[in-house]
Amino acid sequence: MAIDDNHKNDGKPLTREQYRKLKLQQEADFEARDKRRVQVEREYARKHQQPVSEATPEPQETTRARENHPADDDFKTPRWHRINRKLNWTITILILLMVIVFLVLFFVN
């Protein structure tokens, strides 16, 4: 038996059948609210429809344009370079420490 937190039934647990009916009712209520919400949104969109401008669309970047301006440089800020350098040093130090540990384990045994 399940206890429904939303509808306290004087502390009495619900049977499976009651719980299923409650869940079906909640789903039906949700569907009705959602249907009404969609209807209201459509009405709002119709009332507040913006006129479509006949402006020329912005030209899309072609492959050749991308070759002239590599996208890699867009995110390579000075901060990125500092973090990249620190990360490379950290990786190098960790690899050296791993090699030292393996050598110690090899020669101690």
Side-chain angles (χ1 to χ4, degrees):
M1 293 189 176
I3 297 175
D4 185 25
D5 294 333
N6 296 332
H7 302 287
K8 303 251 186 234
N9 195 7
D10 296 328
K12 296 178 186 175
L14 297 175
T15 63
R16 287 183 184 179
E17 182 180 353
Q18 291 171 333
Y19 183 76
R20 287 181 186 144
K21 286 181 182 177
L22 181 65
K23 286 297 173 187
L24 286 174
Q25 181 62 39
Q26 288 174 347
E27 289 175 11
D29 292 344
F30 174 78
E31 291 294 327
R33 284 192 313 270
D34 191 51
K35 187 176 182 181
R36 177 68 181 143
R37 179 189 59 83
V38 169
Q39 180 183 7
V40 169
E41 286 177 355
R42 286 184 180 155
E43 290 173 9
Y44 179 84
R46 276 190 224 114
K47 288 180 184 176
H48 296 86
Q49 191 173 20
Q50 305 243 340
V52 178
S53 64
E54 296 295 326
T56 59
E58 293 183 22
Q60 293 183 351
E61 198 172 311
T62 62
T63 306
R64 291 190 188 265
R66 284 188 210 126
E67 289 172 1
N68 293 340
H69 302 285
D72 296 340
D73 294 338
D74 292 344
F75 65 91
K76 291 187 178 179
T77 61
R79 180 177 179 229
W80 181 87
H81 284 289
R82 283 192 310 270
I83 292 172
N84 192 23
R85 192 175 307 119
K86 286 181 183 179
L87 183 61
N88 287 340
W89 275 105
T90 305
I91 292 170
T92 304
I93 291 171
L94 286 174
I95 289 173
L96 287 173
L97 289 173
M98 288 173 52
V99 168
I100 291 171
V101 167
F102 286 125
L103 288 174
V104 167
L105 289 174
F106 181 75
F107 287 114
V108 169
N109 260 344

